[in-house]
Amino acid sequence: MKHSLYAGAATFALMAGAAHADKVTVFGPWLGPDQENVEKVLDGFAVATGHEYAYVGSDSFEQQIRIDAEAGSAPNVAVFPQPGLAADMAKSGFLTPLADGTSDWIRDNYAAGQSWVDLGTYAGPDGADNLYGFFYKVDVKSLVWYVPENFEDAGYEVPTTMEELKALTDQIVADGETPWCIGLGSGGATGWPATDWVEDMMLRTQSPADYDAWVANEMKFNDPKVVAAIEEFGAFARNDDYVAGGAGAVATTDFRDSPKGMFSSPPQCYLHRQASFIPAFFPEGTVVGEDADFFYFPAYESKDLGSPVLGAGTLWAITNDSPGAHALIEYLQTPEAHETWMQLTGFLTPHKGVDTSLFSDPTLKKMNDILLGATTFRFDGSDLMPGGVGAGTFWTGMVDYAGGASAEEVANEIQSSWDALD
């Protein structure tokens, strides 16, 4: 597979030599070091195909791409941080379907391939579904962090199923300690860490189809399946014995401060569920892999739902059709395009054909192994919901729930807010 993909890149170069290579314009959300990294990938594209490129980054990508598309001045390729905006633009006729065969390639070469096809497939202006988005550069959220020394001192082992994780939680309590640190505080965005918990629990208790229906409001927020997922979060967060500071501290503890209890002596907690970025808020000098480590937030062995992974990622879509734009999407299918960024920093990929020994950081390699082990990948649900819900009542509802409101009461209020948007 790897040889055939490299051969594909060589074919691009031959084709580019035979025909006029157009300049490919790329617009995305990356500035600073990430811009330098993506430009190294695009340098490889230029060498492989003969196409020149120009990349522009913006921290106002979401607003600017729509303005440019409506003005008829869109770039050839746009890098979307969220599928929702891409879906809206596909419906408006601003995206070009990817080449025939791209869906099959993704199914065959990406872990949980069908998930990535589904996430990049939208209805066009005629209502017909097409693959518009190619995912490249992914983030993983389904992680639990811990301090290996604390586990070693107490004789605990890393759990591999949700049943084992719950048993470990109870064991820590039985030993007179507190298992979890959980904090929902985030200024105006307070509550969002709980939405990740609920999304992970939906994926571990219900089918991927149910998750999709929930995110699309085809399954209502107050459906018993969703209420049960909220209560799965509550089983951890609303138990005074389980959480540092007691359940009452969950909503008021800032998410950036909440993992620090793992590093105190004696530890105030042993476990912290959070996405791959959280080491930025660990005590200065903490070395991931030594002073702190992580494991996959496990699935229920008894539910037979595989190994679902919650996360996020960027998708590349053609916003101004050209041969060079299609050549870039095809180049992103080569291992080289992924391995270039892997050797830098801040990159994860579901591509099964890459050489994972090339990761610059063993932590990223370990996270990537979780991604490659996924049977289902789903995007952060709150990011796909309308802003008034996903970044509004879902956040505030989780704060109310952490404060003692019932899951059903909170779910009813969130659903009412969604109904009011229609």
Side-chain angles (χ1 to χ4, degrees):
M1 178 58 66
K2 208 174 291 186
H3 292 299
S4 67
L5 289 170
Y6 280 125
T11 304
F12 300 156
L14 290 172
M15 290 170 57
H20 175 69
D22 56 318
K23 188 172 191 175
V24 181
T25 52
V26 182
F27 180 43
W30 296 308
L31 297 165
D34 276 341
Q35 175 167 341
E36 294 174 13
N37 292 343
V38 74
E39 287 177 346
K40 287 185 172 68
V41 175
L42 293 170
D43 288 344
F45 161 70
V47 170
T49 66
H51 289 285
E52 295 181 357
Y53 75 86
Y55 172 82
V56 175
S58 172
D59 55 8
S60 302
F61 170 86
E62 289 87 350
Q63 294 79 22
Q64 193 61 45
I65 188 59
R66 183 170 284 282
I67 292 169
D68 290 348
E70 291 173 350
S73 58
N76 296 117
V77 174
V79 184
F80 290 83
Q82 293 183 2
L85 177 57
D88 289 345
M89 291 191 63
K91 188 175 182 180
S92 300
F94 292 132
L95 302 187
T96 299
L98 302 186
D100 290 345
T102 308
S103 296
D104 292 335
W105 183 92
I106 294 169
R107 287 188 194 96
D108 291 344
N109 292 280
Y110 270 15
Q114 186 61 50
S115 295
W116 298 107
V117 172
D118 293 345
L119 281 166
T121 299
Y122 317 118
D126 60 356
D129 283 346
N130 284 290
L131 179 70
Y132 289 100
F134 186 91
F135 277 86
Y136 172 88
K137 190 177 185 299
V138 177
D139 299 308
V140 170
K141 294 193 169 194
S142 301
L143 304 174
V144 179
W145 297 84
Y146 70 104
V147 173
E149 185 180 352
N150 293 347
F151 266 48
E152 190 176 333
D153 290 347
Y156 301 144
E157 294 185 2
V158 170
T160 58
T161 67
M162 183 61 72
E163 288 90 345
E164 289 179 1
L165 180 62
K166 289 188 170 182
L168 173 61
T169 297
D170 287 331
Q171 181 61 52
I172 294 171
V173 172
D175 292 342
E177 304 291 342
T178 304
W180 290 91
C181 279
I182 304 174
L184 308 187
S186 186
T190 292
W192 73 259
T195 68
D196 285 359
W197 270 89
V198 173
E199 290 151 9
D200 252 333
M201 287 304 189
M202 274 293 290
L203 289 173
R204 281 152 183 74
T205 56
Q206 307 301 331
S207 70
D210 280 340
Y211 183 91
D212 295 340
W214 169 55
V215 169
N217 200 28
E218 291 160 8
M219 176 190 289
K220 299 305 179 185
F221 222 106
N222 51 3
D223 186 282
K225 293 178 178 179
V226 183
V227 172
I230 295 171
E231 290 174 338
E232 286 272 349
F233 162 61
F236 292 93
R238 301 212 327 181
N239 186 323
D240 284 332
D241 292 336
Y242 282 3
V243 188
V250 168
T252 56
T253 300
D254 192 286
F255 84 93
R256 289 156 286 218
D257 294 331
S258 58
K260 292 175 182 173
M262 294 189 296
F263 301 96
S264 62
S265 184
Q268 295 172 16
C269 63
Y270 285 77
L271 300 159
H272 183 73
R273 186 226 156 277
Q274 190 49 274
S276 52
F277 67 81
I278 198 63
F281 303 104
F282 289 170
E284 189 174 347
T286 300
V287 177
V288 175
E290 297 177 16
D291 308 314
D293 210 342
F294 60 91
F295 57 87
Y296 167 64
F297 188 52
Y300 279 100
E301 187 176 31
S302 58
K303 302 276 187 192
D304 197 28
L305 289 169
S307 300
V309 170
L310 180 72
T314 58
L315 67 96
W316 297 49
I318 297 173
T319 41
N320 188 352
D321 199 6
S322 74
H326 287 281
L328 176 53
I329 299 299
E330 198 165 346
Y331 177 72
L332 293 178
Q333 295 166 38
T334 67
E336 173 189 340
H338 299 249
E339 290 168 353
T340 297
W341 204 329
M342 284 163 51
Q343 294 175 73
L344 301 168
T345 186
F347 183 84
L348 298 175
T349 175
H351 195 319
K352 295 186 291 187
V354 299
D355 179 358
T356 58
S357 71
L358 294 175
F359 271 105
S360 62
D361 180 347
T363 297
L364 289 174
K365 180 185 182 301
K366 185 176 174 182
M367 288 180 186
N368 209 81
D369 288 343
I370 290 173
L371 190 57
L372 291 176
T375 54
T376 299
F377 184 94
R378 283 299 182 267
F379 212 88
D380 181 299
S382 61
D383 284 348
L384 300 180
M385 296 171 184
V389 177
T393 52
F394 194 1
W395 289 353
T396 56
M398 289 301 95
V399 174
D400 292 341
Y401 177 65
S406 73
E408 191 170 11
E409 178 185 350
V410 165
N412 285 336
E413 289 178 1
I414 297 171
Q415 186 57 48
S416 293
S417 76
W418 205 327
D419 294 341
L421 297 176
D422 297 336

